[in-house]
Every structure is written in structure tokens, then in C-alpha cells.
Amino acid sequence: MAFGFDLSKGLEALFRGLMTPFEEFGDPGSRHFGLALFVGGLWAFVFLRRSRRTKSTKEALGIIFDRRVWLHPSALLDYQLLFANALLRPLFFGVTALSGIQAASKSFLWMRTHLGPGPLQGMPLWLMEGCFSVSVFVVEDFFRFLLHLAFHRFDALWVIHKVHHSAQVMTPFTVHRVHPIESAINRGVIALVIGVVGGVWSWACDAPISGWTILGVDALGVAWNVLGAALRHSEIPVHYPRWLEHLLISPAQHQIHHGEAPDHHRKNFGSTLAIWDWMFGSLQTSNERKRVRYGLPAFEEGWPSLWGALTFPPFRAASICLKKLKNLALWVGSGLSKASH
């Protein structure tokens, strides 16, 4: 068997990866969709002027397009990780896409075999699509909350997630300041969740099902992006009325979560809905917010270079896992020794 490397295909894959970040400006499902960024900029401008945080249009625009933020070393690392993740994503994409399809197929077949025909056959198409869209949105958001919580609560996952929290300034591109391993875990779990929800609904309605779409992508996700999701990672503390911040995570609430104070990291884990934080006791509304300084506490190690951000976290995570396995083995060995006596 001969092994070889097709240079032309390799260069084509490299080019596609490098172009991916630019293509997001035309992708309605991306937070970097051109319209979403434009509307987010308008929200930021209106907030700065209406809240009287600025005295003029020029001052407001100066804050939104502050070169000290956009060209800060931390922001430059955001851009580098954006391209690094785009290049590495194909290594995991096939697995996550396949896992979602398999989850949908197996959940449908299991329910059809054990529970018989679904109870919602004949449901009007518009109602079927609406219920499916809302259920996917809610269930996906809940699992994103759980994943985020897990990345903070488990030491091995935290050293991976710290790459994201090490940002010292915030731009809309900070959303991509994640380690490829974290990105792969999130994509894989969410693909499975959406697959299972899709399989359940296909069984219930006994028909292939799809949700509301705009320009071919999830309509609720597009709406959330256009309503200012890009400002979650920004220096503009746009907030909602206090009652609404118990239902939806505002940009100001997510910025609290990025504060360097350890207590800030234990607040506002939600992606879109605030109800999960409200239920689990981790909600903090923006009216409780004081000035937030972004980044990690002084005792936490960060990696200010692309090489460090990509290579050190996996080794630290592996070291933590091995140490815990060693302690577990010692504990089991001690228990067996006592039992034998």
C-alpha cells in the first residue's frame, strides 16, 4: 500500500481554512455576519448616546472603534486563534457532523421500535416547524449552559477554557478565542443534542422535520445574532431592563462573567437564556455590576502567544487527569488492602 501526500489538495484545504473567517461575514448563522455586526454597532452607538456616556457622536464612535482595543496584543491573539481554529476545524468537523446524524437516526429507530408510531402524526406543518425550532433552541441553550458550567467546574477542562478567559480586552472576535479542543467538544456535544431532538420529533410526527430558517439557517439563531449578540464580547456594556436580564443574558451580563475577579467567573454561564443561571443561583444582573476588568486573576496562568495557547493547555489537562487517576488507583488499592485484612 502506497502512502502519499497530494500537495494540490493540501494547499486547497489550507486556502479554504484561511478563507473561512472572511466567509463568516456573509454567513447569516455567524455572529460575524455583516448585518449582525452592523446592527450591533448601531446598538452600541445608540446605547452610548442615550445613556449619556458620551458627549458627542465623535466620542461614541471613538469608543466603538478604539484602536487601543482592536490592536491590543490580546485582541491580536484573538485574530490568530480565529484563523488557527478555522484551519484545524476540518480535523473534527466530520466526526461531529456524523455523530449528529447517527444520534438522529438511532433515536428515531429506538423510539419507533419500542414506542410504535408517534403521537403527533398529522400535525400542521407550520406548528410542527415552530415547536421543533423552539425545542431545539431551548434544549441546545441548556446544554451550552451545562457545558460552560463543566468547563469552569472541572480542573482539566478549566485549563482548556482559560484560553478564552485570558482575554484582556473584548472585541466581537473574542468569541473565537477558544482552544480547538474546547471548540471540538462543544460542537460534538451540541451535534449529538440536536440530533437526538431531531430524532424525537421525527418519530413524534412520523415525518422528516426541519425548523424555521432564514436564508437557509436557523431563524432564531439569526434573530439573536442580529439583535446584538456580537456585543457580548465587546467593551460596550449594553444592558437590558432588570426583569429581562432574568430571561435573556445581556452583553453587560456576559462581560461580568469575563471579569478577572474569581467571583465573576462563577456568574452568568448562560449563552442566550438567563433562566438557567436564575434556576442554578449563578445569575448576576447588570445593575449589580461595578467596573469590570477583563482577564484572569493574578494567580491563574495565561498564555499570551498563539503557540502557548495551543500547546500548553492540553499538556496541563493531561497532567491533571493522570494525577487524578493515580490518586484514584491509590484510593482503590488502599481500600482493597484494608478489605483483605
Side-chain angles (χ1 to χ4, degrees):
M1 181 180 295
F3 293 92
F5 175 72
D6 190 323
L7 180 60
S8 62
K9 289 185 177 180
L11 291 174
E12 181 183 354
L14 177 63
F15 178 75
R16 284 201 306 269
L18 290 173
M19 290 303 297
T20 298
F22 299 104
E23 292 171 353
E24 289 194 358
F25 292 113
D27 178 6
S30 169
R31 287 190 186 177
H32 298 153
F33 180 41
L35 178 60
L37 290 175
F38 177 73
V39 174
L42 285 180
W43 278 114
F45 177 78
V46 170
F47 171 78
L48 290 171
R49 296 297 290 125
R50 292 291 298 272
S51 64
R52 298 183 179 179
R53 291 171 180 260
T54 56
K55 297 179 180 179
S56 66
T57 295
K58 182 178 179 180
E59 185 181 354
L61 293 175
I63 292 175
I64 295 171
F65 299 105
D66 190 344
R67 286 181 296 177
R68 292 171 299 179
V69 172
W70 291 91
L71 298 180
H72 190 282
S74 176
L76 297 180
L77 180 55
D78 292 352
Y79 311 144
Q80 294 173 50
L81 282 165
L82 169 62
F83 281 95
N85 275 290
L87 289 170
L88 295 170
R89 188 176 302 161
L91 297 176
F92 306 100
F93 179 76
V95 176
T96 57
L98 181 61
S99 66
I101 295 171
Q102 290 178 335
S105 176
K106 290 184 177 181
S107 58
F108 171 81
L109 290 173
W110 187 92
M111 298 189 77
R112 187 64 182 269
T113 301
H114 293 85
L115 301 177
L120 302 180
Q121 297 181 47
M123 175 185 285
L125 180 62
W126 64 269
L127 182 58
M128 184 191 308
E129 291 182 344
C131 291
F132 174 69
S133 295
V134 172
S135 61
V136 166
F137 179 79
V138 173
V139 174
E140 178 186 349
D141 194 73
F142 178 60
F143 274 87
R144 288 189 183 278
F145 168 83
L146 292 180
L147 277 169
H148 195 177
L149 190 63
F151 272 105
H152 278 261
R153 295 296 170 85
F154 295 97
D155 294 341
L157 293 177
W158 169 240
V159 297
I160 300 291
H161 188 54
K162 276 201 302 184
V163 172
H164 185 61
H165 273 273
S166 63
Q168 295 175 313
V169 298
M170 300 269 273
T171 77
F173 297 96
T174 306
V175 70
H176 289 292
R177 186 195 181 96
V178 293
H179 194 279
I181 291 177
E182 178 177 353
S183 181
I185 291 173
N186 283 326
R187 287 175 180 275
V189 172
I190 296 305
L192 284 171
V193 168
I194 294 176
V196 170
V197 174
V200 170
W201 272 100
S202 294
W203 163 78
C205 300
D206 197 30
I209 190 168
S210 60
W212 292 328
T213 61
I214 296 177
L215 301 176
V217 296
D218 172 48
L220 294 178
V222 173
W224 178 245
N225 287 341
V226 171
L227 288 174
L231 295 176
R232 289 160 54 85
H233 296 94
S234 77
E235 301 279 322
I236 317 298
V238 174
H239 56 81
Y240 303 152
R242 191 172 187 274
W243 66 267
L244 186 56
E245 289 190 341
H246 282 74
L247 303 176
L248 297 173
I249 295 288
S250 71
Q253 284 175 287
H254 190 69
Q255 290 160 12
I256 290 172
H257 178 74
H258 272 270
E260 69 171 6
D263 185 57
H264 286 164
H265 294 171
R266 295 189 285 268
K267 301 295 183 181
N268 302 339
F269 296 100
S271 179
T272 302
L273 300 175
I275 55 176
W276 317 123
D277 284 294
W278 193 9
M279 290 168 55
F280 283 79
S282 53
L283 182 72
Q284 182 172 335
T285 57
S286 62
N287 71 308
E288 305 171 50
R289 167 182 173 150
K290 298 178 181 179
R291 182 174 177 81
V292 175
R293 182 176 178 179
Y294 302 127
L296 294 169
F299 60 83
E300 292 277 13
E301 181 182 17
W303 300 281
S305 69
L306 178 63
W307 174 254
L310 290 176
T311 58
F312 283 104
F315 286 110
R316 295 292 167 82
S319 175
I320 290 170
C321 290
L322 289 173
K323 184 176 180 180
K324 289 185 179 297
L325 286 173
K326 179 182 177 181
N327 291 337
L328 177 62
L330 291 172
W331 179 78
V332 171
S334 175
L336 292 175
S337 177
K338 291 179 180 178
S340 64
H341 289 86

